[in-house]
Protein backbone atom coordinates (compact mmCIF):
# COMPACT_ATOMS: atom_id res chain seq x y z
CA UNK A 1 0.00 0.00 0.00
CA UNK A 2 1.53 3.28 -1.14
CA UNK A 3 1.27 6.06 1.43
CA UNK A 4 0.43 9.49 -0.02
CA UNK A 5 0.89 12.80 1.75
CA UNK A 6 -1.12 15.76 0.48
CA UNK A 7 0.07 19.35 0.80
CA UNK A 8 -2.92 21.60 0.27
CA UNK A 9 -5.48 19.21 1.76
CA UNK A 10 -7.94 22.01 2.59
CA UNK A 11 -8.18 23.45 -0.93
CA UNK A 12 -10.52 22.52 -3.75
CA UNK A 13 -7.91 20.43 -5.53
CA UNK A 14 -6.80 18.90 -2.25
CA UNK A 15 -10.31 17.71 -1.51
CA UNK A 16 -10.69 16.34 -5.04
CA UNK A 17 -7.41 14.41 -4.71
CA UNK A 18 -8.44 13.04 -1.31
CA UNK A 19 -11.72 11.84 -2.83
CA UNK A 20 -9.89 10.12 -5.69
CA UNK A 21 -7.46 8.35 -3.35
CA UNK A 22 -10.40 7.09 -1.27
CA UNK A 23 -11.71 5.20 -4.32
CA UNK A 24 -8.46 3.28 -4.84
CA UNK A 25 -7.23 0.05 -3.30
CA UNK A 26 -3.49 0.38 -3.99
CA UNK A 27 -2.83 3.60 -2.10
CA UNK A 28 -3.87 5.43 1.03
CA UNK A 29 -3.98 9.07 2.10
CA UNK A 30 -1.93 8.95 5.28
CA UNK A 31 -1.34 12.67 5.93
CA UNK A 32 -2.60 16.07 4.85
CA UNK A 33 -1.33 19.60 5.40
CA UNK A 34 -4.08 21.94 6.65
CA UNK A 35 -3.99 25.71 7.10
CA UNK A 36 -6.21 25.94 10.16
CA UNK A 37 -5.19 24.33 13.46
CA UNK A 38 -8.89 23.69 14.11
CA UNK A 39 -8.79 21.08 11.32
CA UNK A 40 -5.92 19.13 12.90
CA UNK A 41 -6.70 15.55 13.90
CA UNK A 42 -5.01 12.20 14.19
CA UNK A 43 -6.62 8.81 13.59
CA UNK A 44 -5.21 5.34 13.02
CA UNK A 45 -5.09 5.98 9.28
CA UNK A 46 -4.89 9.76 8.75
CA UNK A 47 -2.85 12.64 10.14
CA UNK A 48 -4.07 16.18 9.45
CA UNK A 49 -1.49 18.68 10.61
CA UNK A 50 -0.20 22.21 10.12
CA UNK A 51 3.36 20.81 10.38
CA UNK A 52 4.64 20.07 6.89
CA UNK A 53 7.51 17.89 8.12
CA UNK A 54 5.12 15.58 9.96
CA UNK A 55 2.99 15.22 6.83
CA UNK A 56 6.01 14.41 4.65
CA UNK A 57 7.43 11.91 7.15
CA UNK A 58 4.16 9.96 7.11
CA UNK A 59 4.29 9.55 3.31
CA UNK A 60 6.00 7.54 0.60
CA UNK A 61 5.08 10.09 -2.07
CA UNK A 62 4.08 13.73 -1.54
CA UNK A 63 1.56 15.56 -3.73
CA UNK A 64 1.78 19.36 -3.59
CA UNK A 65 -1.13 21.56 -4.68
CA UNK A 66 -0.38 24.67 -2.63
CA UNK A 67 1.09 28.04 -3.61
CA UNK A 68 4.00 28.90 -5.88
CA UNK A 69 5.57 30.81 -3.00
CA UNK A 70 5.45 27.75 -0.71
CA UNK A 71 6.52 24.93 -3.04
CA UNK A 72 10.30 25.67 -3.05
CA UNK A 73 10.42 25.36 0.75
CA UNK A 74 8.21 22.26 0.77
CA UNK A 75 10.27 20.40 -1.82
CA UNK A 76 13.44 21.26 0.09
CA UNK A 77 11.91 19.65 3.18
CA UNK A 78 10.93 16.58 1.16
CA UNK A 79 14.49 16.39 -0.15
CA UNK A 80 15.88 16.39 3.38
CA UNK A 81 13.50 13.55 4.27
CA UNK A 82 14.14 11.60 1.06
CA UNK A 83 10.56 11.48 -0.23
CA UNK A 84 9.34 11.38 -3.84
CA UNK A 85 7.54 14.60 -4.80
CA UNK A 86 4.75 15.48 -7.23
CA UNK A 87 4.36 19.25 -7.72
CA UNK A 88 1.09 20.31 -9.33
CA UNK A 89 1.36 23.91 -8.15
CA UNK A 90 0.73 26.50 -10.85
CA UNK A 91 2.20 29.96 -11.32
CA UNK A 92 5.79 29.09 -10.45
CA UNK A 93 8.50 31.26 -11.97
CA UNK A 94 11.83 30.07 -13.38
CA UNK A 95 13.54 30.45 -10.01
CA UNK A 96 10.99 28.20 -8.29
CA UNK A 97 11.20 25.59 -11.05
CA UNK A 98 14.98 25.67 -10.69
CA UNK A 99 14.55 24.68 -7.04
CA UNK A 100 12.52 21.66 -8.16
CA UNK A 101 15.21 20.70 -10.65
CA UNK A 102 17.91 21.01 -7.98
CA UNK A 103 15.87 18.78 -5.68
CA UNK A 104 15.58 16.24 -8.52
CA UNK A 105 19.31 15.62 -8.17
CA UNK A 106 18.55 13.98 -4.81
CA UNK A 107 14.96 12.72 -4.97
CA UNK A 108 12.49 11.85 -7.73
CA UNK A 109 10.50 15.00 -8.60
CA UNK A 110 7.58 15.25 -11.02
CA UNK A 111 6.49 18.75 -12.05
CA UNK A 112 3.13 19.11 -13.79
CA UNK A 113 1.20 22.41 -13.71
CA UNK A 114 -1.54 20.41 -15.46
CA UNK A 115 -1.98 16.78 -14.42
CA UNK A 116 -4.49 15.86 -17.12
CA UNK A 117 -3.22 12.76 -18.91
CA UNK A 118 -4.84 13.82 -22.18
CA UNK A 119 -3.06 17.18 -21.97
CA UNK A 120 0.24 15.30 -22.22
CA UNK A 121 -1.03 13.84 -25.49
CA UNK A 122 -2.12 17.34 -26.60
CA UNK A 123 1.44 18.62 -26.11
CA UNK A 124 2.81 15.83 -28.29
CA UNK A 125 0.30 16.64 -31.07
CA UNK A 126 1.17 20.34 -30.77
CA UNK A 127 4.90 19.68 -31.06
CA UNK A 128 4.34 17.44 -34.10
CA UNK A 129 2.17 20.04 -35.84
CA UNK A 130 4.77 22.75 -35.18
CA UNK A 131 7.48 20.49 -36.58
CA UNK A 132 5.56 19.72 -39.76
CA UNK A 133 4.82 23.42 -40.40
CA UNK A 134 8.12 24.90 -39.24
CA UNK A 135 9.33 25.83 -42.74
CA UNK A 136 6.05 27.48 -43.75
CA UNK A 137 4.39 30.80 -42.96
CA UNK A 138 2.08 30.00 -40.04
CA UNK A 139 1.40 32.23 -37.05
CA UNK A 140 0.84 30.40 -33.76
CA UNK A 141 -1.47 31.63 -31.01
CA UNK A 142 -2.29 29.90 -27.74
CA UNK A 143 -5.54 30.80 -26.03
CA UNK A 144 -6.52 29.71 -22.52
CA UNK A 145 -9.72 30.09 -20.52
CA UNK A 146 -10.04 29.59 -16.76
CA UNK A 147 -12.24 30.55 -13.83
CA UNK A 148 -12.24 34.08 -12.46
CA UNK A 149 -10.13 33.08 -9.43
CA UNK A 150 -7.08 32.00 -11.43
CA UNK A 151 -4.39 34.64 -11.12
CA UNK A 152 -1.71 33.88 -13.68
CA UNK A 153 -2.17 34.56 -17.39
CA UNK A 154 -1.07 32.87 -19.53
CA UNK A 155 -1.63 29.78 -17.46
CA UNK A 156 1.07 27.22 -16.78
CA UNK A 157 -0.68 24.89 -19.18
CA UNK A 158 -0.68 27.51 -21.94
CA UNK A 159 3.03 28.08 -21.39
CA UNK A 160 3.65 24.32 -21.53
CA UNK A 161 1.85 24.21 -24.88
CA UNK A 162 4.00 27.13 -26.00
CA UNK A 163 7.10 25.17 -25.04
CA UNK A 164 5.77 22.27 -27.12
CA UNK A 165 5.48 24.61 -30.11
CA UNK A 166 9.07 25.81 -29.69
CA UNK A 167 10.29 22.25 -29.20
CA UNK A 168 8.62 21.23 -32.44
CA UNK A 169 9.72 24.12 -34.64
CA UNK A 170 13.13 24.73 -33.04
CA UNK A 171 12.14 28.31 -32.24
CA UNK A 172 11.27 29.18 -35.84
CA UNK A 173 7.97 30.78 -34.77
CA UNK A 174 7.35 32.14 -31.26
CA UNK A 175 3.71 31.77 -30.18
CA UNK A 176 1.59 34.62 -28.86
CA UNK A 177 -0.88 34.21 -25.97
CA UNK A 178 -4.40 35.32 -25.15
CA UNK A 179 -6.45 34.54 -22.04
CA UNK A 180 -9.92 34.81 -20.53
CA UNK A 181 -10.72 34.62 -16.80
CA UNK A 182 -14.44 34.28 -16.22
CA UNK A 183 -17.05 32.41 -14.22
CA UNK A 184 -16.18 28.88 -13.14
CA UNK A 185 -14.45 27.66 -16.33
CA UNK A 186 -12.29 24.70 -15.32
CA UNK A 187 -9.91 24.88 -18.26
CA UNK A 188 -9.98 25.30 -22.05
CA UNK A 189 -6.89 25.58 -24.24
CA UNK A 190 -6.50 26.14 -27.98
CA UNK A 191 -3.36 26.11 -30.11
CA UNK A 192 -4.06 27.87 -33.40
CA UNK A 193 -1.80 27.57 -36.44
CA UNK A 194 -2.98 30.24 -38.88
CA UNK A 195 -1.65 30.31 -42.44
CA UNK A 196 -2.74 32.00 -45.63
CA UNK A 197 -6.29 30.77 -46.24
CA UNK A 198 -6.27 27.93 -43.69
CA UNK A 199 -6.27 27.33 -39.95
CA UNK A 200 -5.45 24.35 -37.76
CA UNK A 201 -7.04 24.55 -34.32
CA UNK A 202 -6.03 22.05 -31.62
CA UNK A 203 -8.41 22.10 -28.66
CA UNK A 204 -8.25 20.63 -25.16
CA UNK A 205 -11.07 21.05 -22.65
CA UNK A 206 -11.54 19.95 -19.05
CA UNK A 207 -15.08 20.04 -17.65
CA UNK A 208 -14.46 18.36 -14.29
CA UNK A 209 -11.70 19.23 -11.81
CA UNK A 210 -11.64 15.53 -10.84
CA UNK A 211 -9.61 14.92 -14.02
CA UNK A 212 -6.68 16.81 -12.49
CA UNK A 213 -7.06 14.89 -9.24
CA UNK A 214 -7.04 11.54 -11.02
CA UNK A 215 -3.94 12.49 -13.00
CA UNK A 216 -2.14 13.68 -9.87
CA UNK A 217 -2.78 10.40 -8.07
CA UNK A 218 -1.77 8.40 -11.15
CA UNK A 219 1.47 10.41 -11.21
CA UNK A 220 2.10 9.77 -7.51
CA UNK A 221 1.62 6.03 -7.94
CA UNK A 222 3.93 6.03 -10.95
CA UNK A 223 6.56 7.96 -8.99
CA UNK A 224 6.74 5.42 -6.17
CA UNK A 225 10.08 3.65 -6.34
CA UNK A 226 11.40 5.74 -9.23
CA UNK A 227 15.06 6.71 -9.49
CA UNK A 228 16.27 10.22 -8.71
CA UNK A 229 15.35 12.55 -11.57
CA UNK A 230 13.08 15.26 -12.95
CA UNK A 231 9.87 13.94 -14.51
CA UNK A 232 6.64 15.15 -16.12
CA UNK A 233 3.29 13.73 -17.19
CA UNK A 234 4.86 12.67 -20.50
CA UNK A 235 6.93 10.19 -18.52
CA UNK A 236 3.82 8.81 -16.78
CA UNK A 237 2.38 8.04 -20.22
CA UNK A 238 5.68 6.66 -21.47
CA UNK A 239 6.00 9.34 -24.15
Amino acid sequence: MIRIGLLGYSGRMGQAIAADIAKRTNCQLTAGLVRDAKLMRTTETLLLSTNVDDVIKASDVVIDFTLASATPDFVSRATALGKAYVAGTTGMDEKAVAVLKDAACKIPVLYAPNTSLSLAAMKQITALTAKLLRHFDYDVTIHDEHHRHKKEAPSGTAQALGEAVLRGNNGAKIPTYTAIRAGEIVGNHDVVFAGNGEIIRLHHSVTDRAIFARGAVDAALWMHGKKVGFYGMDDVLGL
Side-chain angles (χ1 to χ4, degrees):
M1 184 70 71
I2 299 173
R3 302 177 304 157
I4 296 178
L6 179 55
L7 309 183
Y9 175 88
S10 305
R12 289 191 296 178
M13 271 305 303
Q15 288 297 292
I17 291 171
D20 186 90
I21 294 172
K23 300 175 184 177
R24 306 198 185 212
T25 58
N26 57 347
C27 62
Q28 180 179 5
L29 181 62
T30 52
L33 182 68
V34 295
R35 295 187 295 264
D36 191 341
K38 295 179 181 178
L39 299 176
M40 292 177 61
R41 62 185 171 94
T42 303
T43 68
E44 292 184 2
T45 59
L46 178 63
L47 166 69
L48 296 181
S49 175
T50 57
N51 187 309
V52 64
D53 289 335
D54 288 344
V55 172
I56 295 173
K57 287 176 183 177
S59 315
D60 297 317
V61 183
V62 177
I63 299 177
D64 175 7
F65 272 81
T66 55
L67 299 173
S69 58
T71 293
D73 177 58
F74 290 164
V75 74
S76 296
R77 292 171 182 266
T79 301
L81 294 169
K83 304 293 185 175
Y85 202 87
V86 175
T89 305
T90 61
M92 290 200 292
D93 58 20
E94 292 182 4
K95 184 176 180 180
V97 175
V99 174
L100 291 177
K101 291 181 177 179
D102 287 343
C105 295
K106 298 179 181 178
I107 60 172
V109 174
L110 186 147
Y111 172 50
N114 186 314
T115 52
S116 162
L117 294 173
S118 62
L119 193 279
M122 171 78 163
K123 289 191 294 182
Q124 294 292 317
I125 296 168
T126 296
L128 175 60
T129 305
K131 179 179 180 180
L132 294 173
L133 299 177
R134 66 187 183 278
H135 297 308
F136 303 94
D137 186 20
Y138 282 82
D139 295 320
V140 187
T141 296
I142 298 171
H143 177 71
D144 76 275
E145 300 176 353
H146 286 279
H147 53 83
R148 65 170 68 96
H149 309 292
K150 192 171 186 66
K151 297 178 181 179
E152 70 270 14
S155 66
T157 300
Q159 293 180 55
L161 289 167
E163 291 168 4
V165 170
L166 296 174
R167 185 169 66 250
N169 67 17
N170 293 321
K173 177 71 71 172
I174 298 175
T176 58
Y177 296 87
T178 62
I180 289 175
R181 299 292 178 264
E184 290 297 320
I185 301 172
V186 177
N188 297 318
H189 294 86
D190 289 281
V191 183
V192 180
F193 294 85
N196 293 324
E198 58 184 356
I199 295 173
I200 296 176
R201 186 184 302 272
L202 306 177
H203 177 75
H204 182 269
S205 181
V206 174
T207 58
D208 188 342
R209 191 167 280 103
I211 295 299
F212 300 130
R214 184 173 67 197
V217 178
D218 286 338
L221 298 179
W222 183 86
M223 282 287 281
H224 184 245
K226 287 294 182 292
K227 296 179 180 179
V228 168
F230 190 68
Y231 301 98
M233 294 304 291
D234 289 356
D235 297 299
V236 178
L237 288 179
L239 298 175

